[in-house]
Amino acid sequence: MTPDQILDRAADLLERDGWQRGEYGPRTLRGPRCVVGSLMAARGIDDYRPYDVAHSALKNEVGGGSLTIWNDEVVKDKRQVIRTLRRTARKLRGEKR
């Protein structure tokens, strides 16, 4: 799985299962997740390199700070998280939109 696919899959999981603050959420089962938990669940059992690239790209997209703090204290709602994940995935693919 490529980094952009991980980001899109993480957004899909949040749309399907919900978003939360304060806990990562389940890695394999359904249930609400934070942004980092959704990235981990989206990665599955693949190697860590694509995950690391996706995580770094998202971290840069939100200003370079902790994704956990961004998720728990900065972000307003699930829609903002999903939009940010999808925008970051598009940037990794080189899309202009």
Side-chain angles (χ1 to χ4, degrees):
M1 186 174 281
T2 62
D4 62 299
Q5 291 171 327
I6 290 172
L7 291 161
D8 279 331
R9 176 74 177 131
D12 292 343
L13 290 171
L14 291 177
E15 286 178 336
R16 184 189 78 189
D17 298 335
W19 169 73
Q20 69 179 9
R21 298 176 194 262
E23 292 184 29
Y24 290 136
R27 284 193 176 184
T28 57
L29 304 174
R30 287 184 174 220
R33 296 171 175 87
C34 74
V35 69
V36 176
S38 70
L39 287 172
M40 290 189 303
R43 181 195 77 224
I45 59 171
D46 288 343
D47 70 57
Y48 280 86
R49 173 96 176 103
Y51 168 84
D52 289 343
V53 172
H55 187 278
S56 292
L58 183 60
K59 186 175 178 178
N60 288 337
E61 185 69 21
V62 301
S66 164
L67 288 179
T68 301
I69 291 172
W70 178 77
N71 181 87
D72 292 352
E73 298 176 15
V74 177
V75 74
K76 293 178 182 156
D77 57 25
K78 177 175 86 169
R79 289 180 52 221
Q80 183 181 0
V81 176
I82 291 168
R83 281 194 312 266
T84 305
L85 286 163
R86 298 224 189 266
R87 182 176 61 243
T88 307
R90 286 192 305 272
K91 286 181 177 182
L92 283 177
R93 287 190 292 269
E95 296 175 12
K96 302 288 183 202
R97 213 180 101 196

